[in-house]
Amino acid sequence: MATYFCGTYEHQLDDKNRLRIPAKFRKALVGEDGDKSYSFARGMSDGCIYVLPEEELQAIMEKLADEKMGEASLATMLFYGSVYEAEEDPQGRVVLPAKLKAAAGIEKDIVTVGRGKRIEIWAADVYEELCANANYKAEFKKLGI
């Protein structure tokens, strides 16, 4: 059965740019060997960082490997170059890569959002503005449910 991430959590980076992935999400990030197995990548939508379970990262990489290199060549390079394996310390904290943190405009306050097969980390102010300006009725209509 596939795991889908849902929910929103507000928290902060500590002084060493570490965060704890919310416990509800961490359970689903366990690899086949029982270890936590996930990576960070620059989000393909503006302003976020993807947290990708190993299985989802491999699915994206397989799709990108099948793409023709013409127009997608730069996009493929940018995505592959933005992937960082997450390494948790014994307390379950993980350092957010500085390049991804800067690209997402994250300083201290963050929002972690379940997004189906991935998790997204947003700067709290960017996320709040995005949601405040959203037309919920129009957006939900796009879902067709």
Side-chain angles (χ1 to χ4, degrees):
M1 185 166 102
T3 298
Y4 292 96
F5 298 99
C6 56
T8 303
Y9 301 88
E10 297 176 5
H11 42 125
Q12 296 181 330
L13 296 177
D14 69 11
D15 294 336
K16 296 181 181 178
N17 292 323
R18 297 176 302 195
L19 71 134
R20 281 193 172 89
I21 300 294
K24 180 180 174 185
F25 292 159
R26 286 182 79 232
K27 290 177 187 176
L29 294 171
V30 177
E32 290 179 12
D33 57 4
D35 290 333
K36 300 288 180 213
S37 182
Y38 60 97
S39 297
F40 295 114
R42 187 170 179 166
M44 292 179 206
S45 59
D46 292 334
C48 74
I49 298 169
Y50 287 175
V51 180
L52 299 164
E54 186 63 29
E55 183 178 294
E56 183 62 15
L57 177 61
Q58 292 304 315
I60 291 170
M61 290 184 166
E62 284 179 33
K63 183 177 180 184
L64 293 177
D66 290 341
E67 295 292 324
K68 295 180 181 169
M69 290 310 246
E71 279 186 40
S73 179
L74 179 58
T76 302
M77 179 191 72
L78 292 171
F79 179 76
Y80 278 118
S82 77
V83 176
Y84 296 85
E85 185 175 345
E87 296 181 23
E88 290 186 359
D89 68 13
Q91 288 79 37
R93 298 171 299 197
V94 62
V95 174
L96 198 57
K99 286 186 178 185
L100 296 181
K101 181 182 169 222
I106 293 172
E107 293 183 24
K108 186 141 184 107
D109 295 325
I110 58 175
V111 177
T112 306
V113 181
R115 219 33 215 277
K117 292 185 178 183
R118 69 175 180 263
I119 301 163
E120 293 180 351
I121 299 172
W122 291 81
D125 57 339
V126 173
Y127 180 80
E128 289 166 9
E129 183 178 341
L130 182 69
C131 292
N133 294 323
N135 178 332
Y136 281 79
K137 185 176 180 179
E139 293 302 318
F140 288 143
K141 189 174 184 177
K142 292 176 187 176
L143 296 176
I145 55 174

